């Protein structure tokens, strides 16, 4: 039997966290964010954002609820139908799911693009190197030769042949103002966010209210399951997804779920 009281949140390697620990995913994400800060890929502000997300995940029961799984399947269908899909990577995403994002990009033939609020050349290069260490062959975001209209901060900077030209964009752990700006450009947005009331999921075509460490592998699994589906089947999945109902179910689970 595992003595959970002896498991510290401050571990050197995530393998030290027992997978049967009742708060395994929370300990895992905390560890990855801390290591991300140490490696220079995650900003200190990302630790605050992760803590806020952890609270919402606790209220959701730390599980993928049925509407989130439906959203993840719809997201896979959108990505498989896309002409130019792009997965946006910020510091927290790079720390939490680097290999998982690379696997998703491979499954749906998408580009990976680094996009940061607190943007420095050093952080951009560190995140790109981190993704390459996890199997990425090509990482966009270093050129930043285009801008998203109506944004003044650093995250307006994108690659002309990346996010700026994309038709479908996955924007995990995204702030609402940029999500709104991308939506205004006419892009199909897939947002991963644990707060169904925040602006990002509210404007997304596909709001996934789930922990990113569960959501990204789930989308990948759905994409692989749908790899041989024809266009008609993929469009049927997209049309059947009810974004308002998904947001309502997530909010209801947070308000009324048993802890």
């Amino acid at each position: 039997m595992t003595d959970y009281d002896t498991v510290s949140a401050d571990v050197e390697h995530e393998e030290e966290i027992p997978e049967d620990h009742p708060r395994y995913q929370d300990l895992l994400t905390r560890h990855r964010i801390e290591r991300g800060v140490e490696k220079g890929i995650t900003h200190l502000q990302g630790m605050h954002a992760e803590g806020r997300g952890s609270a919402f995940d606790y209220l959701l029961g730390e599980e993928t609820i049925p509407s989130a799984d439906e959203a993840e399947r719809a997201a896979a269908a959108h990505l498989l139908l896309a002409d130019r899909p792009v997965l946006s990577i910020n510091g927290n995403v790079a720390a939490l799911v680097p290999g998982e994002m690379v696997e998703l990009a491979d499954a749906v033939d998408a580009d990976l693009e680094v996009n940061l609020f607190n943007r420095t050349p050093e952080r951009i290069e560190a995140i790109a190197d981190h993704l390459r260490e996890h199997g990425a062959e090509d990482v966009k975001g270093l050129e930043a030769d285009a801008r998203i209209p109506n944004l003044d901060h650093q995250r307006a900077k994108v690659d002309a042949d990346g996010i700026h030209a994309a038709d479908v964009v996955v924007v995990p752990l995204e702030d609402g103002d940029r999500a709104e700006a991308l939506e205004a450009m006419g892009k199909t947005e897939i947002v991963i966010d644990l707060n169904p009331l925040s602006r990002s999921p509210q404007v997304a075509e596909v709001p996934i209210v789930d922990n990113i460490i569960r959501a990204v592998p789930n989308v990948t699994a759905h994409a692989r399951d749908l790899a041989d589906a024809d266009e008609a089947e993929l469009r049927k999945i997209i049309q059947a997804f009810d974004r308002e109902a998904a947001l309502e179910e997530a909010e209801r689970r947070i308000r009324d779920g048993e802890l």
Side-chain angles (χ1 to χ4, degrees):
M1 179 179 295
T2 302
D3 182 2
Y4 294 126
D5 290 335
T6 67
V7 180
S8 170
D10 183 20
V11 297
E12 287 298 319
H13 304 286
E14 62 184 59
E15 291 78 11
E16 299 174 40
I17 306 170
E19 292 187 16
D20 62 345
H21 192 286
R23 303 305 311 284
Y24 171 74
Q25 289 186 339
D26 185 55
L27 292 174
L28 181 65
T29 54
R30 271 191 271 169
H31 172 78
R32 289 183 179 179
I33 290 292
E34 289 170 358
R35 293 297 175 263
V37 172
E38 292 172 0
K39 291 189 68 172
I41 63 176
T42 304
H43 195 275
L44 280 172
Q45 293 176 3
M47 300 183 75
H48 170 74
E50 177 56 35
R52 183 176 60 225
S54 178
F56 278 102
D57 199 25
Y58 185 75
L59 294 172
L60 283 165
E62 296 180 307
E63 64 178 4
T64 299
I65 63 177
S67 60
D69 187 65
E70 292 172 7
E72 288 153 2
R73 188 169 177 82
H78 272 291
L79 288 165
L80 290 168
L81 280 175
D83 292 322
R84 304 190 73 168
V86 175
L87 315 183
S88 182
I89 310 287
N90 64 20
N92 278 29
V93 174
L96 292 171
V97 286
E100 293 87 342
M101 290 296 278
V102 172
E103 289 183 15
L104 175 57
D106 181 66
V108 298
D109 194 22
D111 287 330
L112 297 162
E113 179 167 341
V114 182
N115 183 268
L116 304 175
F117 185 90
N118 297 289
R119 182 187 178 95
T120 65
E122 293 77 15
R123 278 192 73 206
I124 291 285
E125 290 288 351
I127 291 173
D129 287 343
H130 187 62
L131 292 170
R132 294 186 190 105
E133 289 170 6
H134 285 82
E137 294 183 2
D138 182 42
V139 181
K140 296 185 182 296
L142 284 73
E143 297 297 326
D145 51 354
R147 294 184 67 88
I148 300 171
N150 303 316
L151 281 182
D152 294 329
H153 51 64
Q154 292 288 306
R155 283 179 309 137
K157 296 180 178 180
V158 292
D159 279 13
D161 63 348
I163 288 174
H164 198 274
D167 54 346
V168 176
V169 187
V170 178
V171 279
L173 315 183
E174 187 58 72
D175 287 337
D177 56 347
R178 183 163 175 269
E180 288 175 336
L182 288 170
E183 192 264 345
M185 292 179 72
K187 301 187 184 301
T188 296
E189 282 188 276
I190 298 165
V191 165
I192 302 172
D193 194 310
L194 280 160
N195 178 4
L197 299 177
S198 70
R199 281 184 296 169
S200 298
Q202 289 290 326
V203 302
E205 182 77 15
V206 182
I208 299 173
V209 184
D210 200 2
N211 191 317
I212 190 171
I213 67 173
R214 296 189 299 268
V216 175
N218 287 348
V219 176
T220 302
H222 282 304
R224 289 172 175 162
D225 180 59
L226 295 169
D228 296 326
D230 60 22
E231 180 176 344
E233 182 179 352
L234 294 175
R235 294 201 180 280
K236 184 177 179 180
I237 292 169
I238 290 169
Q239 291 167 3
F241 175 67
D242 187 333
R243 61 176 305 282
E244 287 78 15
L247 291 170
E248 288 171 4
E249 182 186 343
E251 183 179 349
R252 186 164 54 250
R253 173 65 74 94
I254 288 171
R255 292 182 183 276
D256 303 333
E258 295 183 4
L259 301 180

